[in-house]
Amino acid sequence: MPRKPIELPKIESLSILDEDGNVDKALEPKIDKDTLKTMLRYMLLARRTDERMLLMQRQGRCGTFPQSSGHEAISMGSAIHLQKEDWHIPAYRELAGLLYRGWTIEHTLLYWNGFEEGARPPEGVNDLPVCVPIASQLLHAAGIGMGMRIKDQNNIVMTYFGDGASSEGDCHEALNFAAVYQAPVVFVCLNNQYAISVPLAKQMKNETIAQRAIAYGMPGIRVDGNDVLAVYVATQEAIARAKAGEGPTLIEGLTYRFTPHTTADDPKRYRSEEECNTWAKREPIARYKKYLIAKGVMTQADIDSMEAEIDAEIKQSVTKTETLMQSAELSNPLSMFDYLYNDMPPYLNEQREELKAELEKSKKGNKSEGQAAAGHH
Ligand SMILES: Cc1ncc(C[n+]2csc(CCOP(=O)(O)OP(=O)(O)O)c2C)c(N)n1
């Protein structure tokens, strides 16, 4: 018996808008002006919120925060296609898409300050909240997609994960199940080339993440993740396949994290300045602005006033949320028990009662300390 090569599908890479803002006319998608502007608006809103969150963390006004600067094109170019009944299932660097889906700056601040209310989806969308346990959201996405297929619903699931997440067992199980059940799921990998300090080459031996799609029996593509038009096109094609009953797609967006992993990280210990500078030139928002101006969709003055509006919106939301965080309803630590179970297991009930008693005791203690202090004066 002769040895014969097995023919496998080819994996493409796609780039439409280069880092200088030049567009490949043959590949340029037709997008109406309002949609083009909306994409810029949410990319900018995410970027400015991200920068503000960093400042707030440094001032002690916010907990540890994972910044999303640099990831806006992947998030926005894909989320823009979603209808309300579709599912948006993020990890934690999809701020642009979250804001577009109706999650607010208030949600963001509450979530990263440890308030459960920040994980409550806005009215009218089917989304899941930010997910920090790496790759666990992919199983939810696959399961929801399988459910849609069983119920014959014509919606899709768009889910996101990092390059590090792609080495988790959960990711493998989700991709395999989604393929076997032809679930309408678009798996979008934000390949920013590092899992905290671990570079991609130390956790996988293949050239691209997209090529893993072949092994699962689904289409895969690598796109320039800093090119919102390429992401737009690849996700549009994937959604069309999912809606036609042709199952899931794996999209790898090659990008870079311009910031530390979180506010608790120092990337200088594992990345060179030269590398950061090279990638800074490939940043997604600057090239998109150039494109919009060259196309006559917006002027620089239009963009400036959009940015000013966004800054005012952020300022207002921050003030409102900080007031809310002082309110009695939100600052009650007992609320941590409220959102896990419908019928709480007895051991958690016990813990709740214990905490309640402790809180009352310390409240009384504070009062008498206060009285004692007042007495001294
Ligand atoms: C199940 C699990 N294991 C470990 C961690 C700790 N952790 C937080 S972020 C991270 C790296 C994730 O890297 P990647 O998937 O590439 O996403 P990125 O942060 O680069 O966007 C790890 C290991 C976690 N959150 N969840």
Side-chain angles (χ1 to χ4, degrees):
M1 295 294 259
R3 294 179 184 227
K4 285 194 224 155
I6 295 173
E7 289 301 325
L8 293 173
K10 294 271 181 275
I11 294 292
E12 282 181 343
S13 78
L14 176 67
S15 147
I16 300 176
L17 182 64
D18 74 13
E19 60 193 72
D20 300 317
N22 303 313
V23 67
D24 183 329
K25 285 275 172 208
L27 296 173
E28 183 185 9
K30 284 199 177 58
I31 309 176
D32 65 70
K33 285 188 177 186
D34 283 347
T35 307
L36 288 171
K37 283 189 213 169
T38 300
M39 292 205 292
L40 180 68
R41 187 180 140 62
Y42 285 95
M43 287 166 76
L44 280 174
L45 183 61
R47 176 67 61 89
R48 294 292 213 183
T49 304
D50 206 55
E51 290 165 355
R52 188 65 203 264
M53 292 291 282
L54 172 68
L55 292 179
M56 292 186 68
Q57 193 278 339
R58 294 295 189 249
Q59 293 165 350
R61 293 157 72 193
C62 180
T64 304
F65 179 67
Q67 290 191 270
S68 63
S69 289
H71 301 73
E72 296 93 344
I74 305 184
S75 176
M76 199 58 235
S78 52
I80 191 73
H81 296 297
L82 296 177
Q83 292 168 352
K84 285 212 154 169
E85 303 73 24
D86 293 328
W87 286 75
H88 181 255
I89 303 189
Y92 48 78
R93 288 196 210 279
E94 294 77 24
L95 187 54
L98 281 164
L99 293 166
Y100 175 66
R101 291 290 280 173
W103 295 77
T104 56
I105 295 162
E106 181 178 311
H107 277 106
T108 310
L109 255 180
L110 288 175
Y111 186 92
W112 295 105
N113 270 301
F115 291 103
E116 297 293 339
E117 285 79 358
R120 191 180 291 161
E123 285 301 317
V125 290
N126 273 330
D127 304 6
L128 292 188
V130 162
C131 180
V132 176
I134 303 299
S136 60
Q137 75 280 11
L138 302 177
L139 295 170
H140 302 149
I144 289 168
M146 286 158 66
M148 279 177 178
R149 184 109 178 121
I150 292 165
K151 289 184 181 164
D152 224 3
Q153 289 169 341
N154 196 27
N155 290 107
I156 66 114
V157 180
M158 184 83 71
T159 191
Y160 301 86
F161 60 108
D163 43 287
S166 77
S167 293
E168 287 271 4
D170 282 1
C171 181
H172 164 70
E173 289 168 26
L175 285 162
N176 190 51
F177 261 80
V180 168
Y181 286 86
Q182 290 288 278
V185 184
V186 184
F187 291 93
V188 181
C189 180
L190 291 80
N191 177 5
N192 62 20
Q193 311 175 56
Y194 287 86
I196 314 185
S197 56
V198 181
L200 197 53
K202 282 201 176 163
Q203 55 138 338
M204 74 173 207
K205 283 289 172 207
N206 31 339
E207 202 181 320
T208 68
I209 290 171
Q211 73 199 61
R212 295 186 186 175
I214 299 171
Y216 295 113
M218 66 174 79
I221 186 167
R222 173 185 261 193
V223 300
D224 176 347
N226 292 347
D227 170 359
V228 70
L229 301 183
V231 176
Y232 182 98
V233 167
T235 44
Q236 189 175 45
E237 290 171 359
I239 290 171
R241 274 193 299 272
K243 290 204 168 188
E246 293 167 25
T249 299
L250 174 59
I251 297 172
E252 171 189 5
L254 186 62
T255 186
Y256 198 75
R257 156 166 71 65
F258 300 114
T259 63
H261 168 74
T262 64
T263 46
D265 172 46
D266 175 11
K268 288 197 197 87
R269 298 180 62 173
Y270 57 85
R271 300 193 310 198
S272 72
E273 211 176 310
E274 198 190 342
E275 182 184 291
C276 292
N277 291 340
T278 306
W279 278 93
K281 291 194 201 106
R282 302 180 186 153
E283 187 277 331
I285 297 184
R287 70 172 84 173
Y288 187 47
K289 283 182 185 168
K290 281 187 197 157
Y291 169 72
L292 294 179
I293 293 171
K295 210 175 158 58
V297 175
M298 294 180 90
T299 61
Q300 184 60 51
D302 293 336
I303 295 176
D304 291 346
S305 71
M306 184 184 262
E307 289 192 357
E309 242 174 62
I310 283 171
D311 286 344
E313 182 183 334
I314 294 172
K315 203 169 168 193
Q316 207 180 14
S317 303
V318 167
T319 310
K320 191 177 136 210
T321 312
E322 288 199 314
T323 312
L324 181 69
M325 284 194 288
Q326 305 301 324
S327 73
E329 184 202 349
L330 280 186
S331 51
N332 183 0
L334 286 171
S335 66
M336 80 169 110
F337 293 97
D338 291 347
Y339 303 105
L340 280 176
Y341 293 97
N342 197 16
D343 299 314
M344 201 143 62
Y347 75 95
L348 281 183
N349 260 329
E350 261 169 45
Q351 290 181 19
R352 188 182 191 283
E353 290 313 305
E354 199 180 323
L355 178 62
K356 199 172 159 196
E358 279 299 321
L359 289 171
E360 272 161 19
K361 219 164 43 185
S362 73
K363 220 194 279 169
K364 271 187 210 144
N366 283 346
K367 230 186 227 164
S368 52
E369 260 171 43
Q371 277 159 359
H376 283 296
H377 286 291

